[in-house]
Amino acid sequence: MAVDVRWATTEDAAALATILCEMAAHYRQAQLDHGRALAAARHWLTDESPAYPHFALAFAGGEVAGLASVAIAHPGIDLERLMFLKDLFVREGARNQGAGRALIAFLAGHCLSHGIGRIDLTTEDWNDGARRFYTQLGAERHGQKIFLRLSGEALKTVAKS
């Protein structure tokens, strides 16, 4: 299957909303309302910093097949920027057909052409398919970091301190 990947634009808000809803279900989150997801997608694609697009979308057969959500951090330890891959998601009907690999290749090409030295990412410990996929691409498990999160009440408490 031919897969086309591009940075999402405001015209892609509906496609982004659709895939965000499917992604929430896959990651065992509460069902997202499509209208709410569409409003968020429109906001993110119009009001966020244009310096670095945040979403790459893969399309196959005219339909959205996958999503990569990224952020660029300045600088890395070696004074090179890094790309943090927050989420890579491929719709169930498009899995194992090249959409994930096409998204990663697109991101890697962007990194190489913009002086970004690496892509860092995480995956859930239960997601065997994702771990196999990243290992096949040559990603190495980096055991020096522990993933932590500030959210909810802890986030509110820290903000007040």
Side-chain angles (χ1 to χ4, degrees), residues 2 8 28 35 39 73 78 83 109 111 139 144 150 160:
R28 304 172 182 172
D78 51 9
M83 177 181 282
C111 287
Q144 296 175 345
L150 284 171
K160 293 177 186 176

Side-chain angles (χ1 to χ4, degrees), residues 85-105:
L85 176 58
K86 168 62 177 83
D87 285 302
L88 178 77
F89 179 75
V90 175
R91 297 174 82 180
E92 189 170 333
R95 291 191 187 132
N96 299 311
Q97 297 182 29
R101 186 171 287 275
L103 281 160
I104 294 292

Side-chain angles (χ1 to χ4, degrees), residues 2 9 44 53-54 66 81 90-91 98 100 113-114 129 136 145-146:
T9 67
W44 295 333
H54 297 289
R81 295 176 295 164
V90 175
R91 297 174 82 180
S113 67
H114 288 82
Q136 289 171 356
K145 304 274 183 182
I146 297 172

